[in-house]
Amino acid sequence: MDGTKPAMESNAEETQEETQESKGCFECCIKCLGGVPYASLVATILCFIGVALFCGCGHVALSGTLTMLDNHFSTVTTDHATLTMVIQIIQYIIYGIASFFFVYAILLLAEGFYTTSAIKKELQSDFKTTACGRCITAFFMFLTYIMFLAFLAIFGFTAIPVFLFFNMWTTCSAMRSPDANITSPESICVDVRQYGIIPWNATPGKACGATLGDICNTSEFYLSYHLYIVAFAGAGATVIALIHYLMILGANWAYLKSAVSTHDYQDIKTKDDQDLEAEARSKEGQNSSSYS
């Protein structure tokens, strides 16, 4: 009995220590999860997905469009040399957009971590935000608004090729439809020159009848059309992510400003209470000296 008692006590102590360690790990995990800016994290994931879809699909779709024009609408390379140069410039811009938003989204996520921790420490009166921190949040909010306007314009620009390819798709579908009573299929044409894509002297410049149907059956047309749709959706997702960032940054800036005002009020109130307490003590000292 005397030998088993110390063993039972040691086992109880080890169990208690393990319980305390697990409790400490659990509290640490809860504390870490509480410091994660989930709104910024969701916006960052949405921004990454949107930019990746827009840049990747848009780049491939532009290459497919150029190949389709070379093979079917403008067989002379010099006729669409300007268009080729514009497409190459747009592809380089896409590279820049992908790189910029990759870095910018990470910076906004880091700003979300900073602001979340700063607000919590501010509320606990352990930390006081600086004017520099508030200016950084305001700067990101202004820059994100500019990015939002720019990507909103890109979103509208991306709808143009979707509209053009949709017109060709519906024309080909109407030609293949058994309900369409078409007596002269060669009279149905798609002239891309009227959209200003290629000059009017481009050869042949348009496709009619069976030639148009063959174009719609090519892999370049099918792939480019659906990639433009995906790129359009990616641009829309990026716009939504930037709107989300704007709401987050606006809320963070308001919280920081409110926390500073609350902290200043508490400092003034504490100073006034100390002055009143010191004045009361001085009056008590005067009264005690007069009685003596």
Side-chain angles (χ1 to χ4, degrees):
M1 294 293 292
D2 295 338
T4 58
K5 186 174 180 180
M8 294 176 61
E9 291 179 354
S10 62
N11 291 333
E13 291 177 355
E14 291 178 357
T15 304
Q16 186 177 3
E17 290 178 357
E18 291 177 356
T19 304
Q20 291 178 353
E21 289 179 359
S22 61
K23 185 178 179 181
C25 293
F26 178 75
E27 291 178 352
C28 182
C29 292
I30 294 298
K31 186 177 180 181
C32 292
L33 291 175
V36 176
Y38 292 101
S40 297
L41 185 62
V42 171
T44 301
I45 295 173
L46 184 61
C47 183
F48 280 159
I49 294 174
V51 172
L53 290 176
F54 169 76
C55 294
C57 296
H59 186 277
V60 178
L62 287 172
S63 299
T65 302
L66 189 59
T67 302
M68 189 176 64
L69 289 174
D70 286 335
N71 296 335
H72 303 287
F73 292 100
S74 182
T75 56
V76 181
T77 307
T78 56
D79 290 341
H80 59 275
T82 303
L83 177 64
T84 303
M85 183 181 63
V86 170
I87 288 178
Q88 290 176 352
I89 292 173
I90 293 175
Q91 288 177 333
Y92 284 122
I93 292 174
I94 286 175
Y95 296 146
I97 290 174
S99 303
F100 173 79
F101 271 91
F102 177 77
V103 176
Y104 189 64
I106 292 178
L107 289 176
L108 289 178
L109 182 61
E111 195 275 340
F113 274 101
Y114 160 76
T115 307
T116 302
S117 61
I119 291 173
K120 288 188 175 183
K121 291 180 180 180
E122 184 80 32
L123 294 176
Q124 295 172 0
S125 299
D126 295 331
F127 181 77
K128 186 174 181 181
T129 57
T130 61
C132 181
R134 296 192 298 274
C135 288
I136 291 174
T137 301
F139 172 75
F140 276 124
M141 187 165 54
F142 172 76
L143 188 58
T144 303
Y145 181 71
I146 299 299
M147 293 298 104
F148 162 72
L149 294 179
F151 231 94
L152 188 63
I154 293 174
F155 177 68
F157 178 77
T158 311
I160 297 176
V162 175
F163 173 73
L164 299 180
F165 275 79
F166 176 75
N167 283 342
M168 291 185 63
W169 180 269
T170 53
T171 303
C172 293
S173 299
M175 291 175 56
R176 291 192 296 261
S177 177
D179 297 331
N181 189 13
I182 301 175
T183 57
S184 179
E186 296 299 326
S187 63
I188 300 177
C189 302
V190 171
D191 192 347
V192 297
R193 294 174 297 183
Q194 64 182 344
Y195 299 114
I197 299 175
I198 55 178
W200 282 103
N201 59 354
T203 304
K206 63 179 180 179
C208 302
T211 304
L212 178 60
D214 293 337
I215 293 174
C216 292
N217 292 328
T218 59
S219 59
E220 292 87 3
F221 176 82
Y222 184 83
L223 183 62
S224 297
Y225 177 43
H226 290 85
L227 286 178
Y228 276 127
I229 295 175
V230 177
F232 180 71
T238 307
V239 170
I240 295 174
L242 291 173
I243 293 174
H244 201 172
Y245 275 131
L246 281 174
M247 293 189 294
I248 295 168
L249 291 169
N252 289 341
W253 187 80
Y255 285 144
L256 289 175
K257 187 176 180 181
S258 176
V260 171
S261 300
T262 303
H263 200 284
D264 292 340
Y265 171 75
Q266 290 176 352
D267 289 343
I268 294 173
K269 185 178 179 181
T270 303
K271 186 178 180 180
D272 291 341
D273 292 340
Q274 291 175 353
D275 292 341
L276 291 175
E277 186 178 356
E279 185 177 355
R281 288 179 180 177
S282 63
K283 287 183 179 180
E284 289 178 0
Q286 291 177 358
N287 291 332
S288 61
S289 63
S290 62
Y291 285 134
S292 61

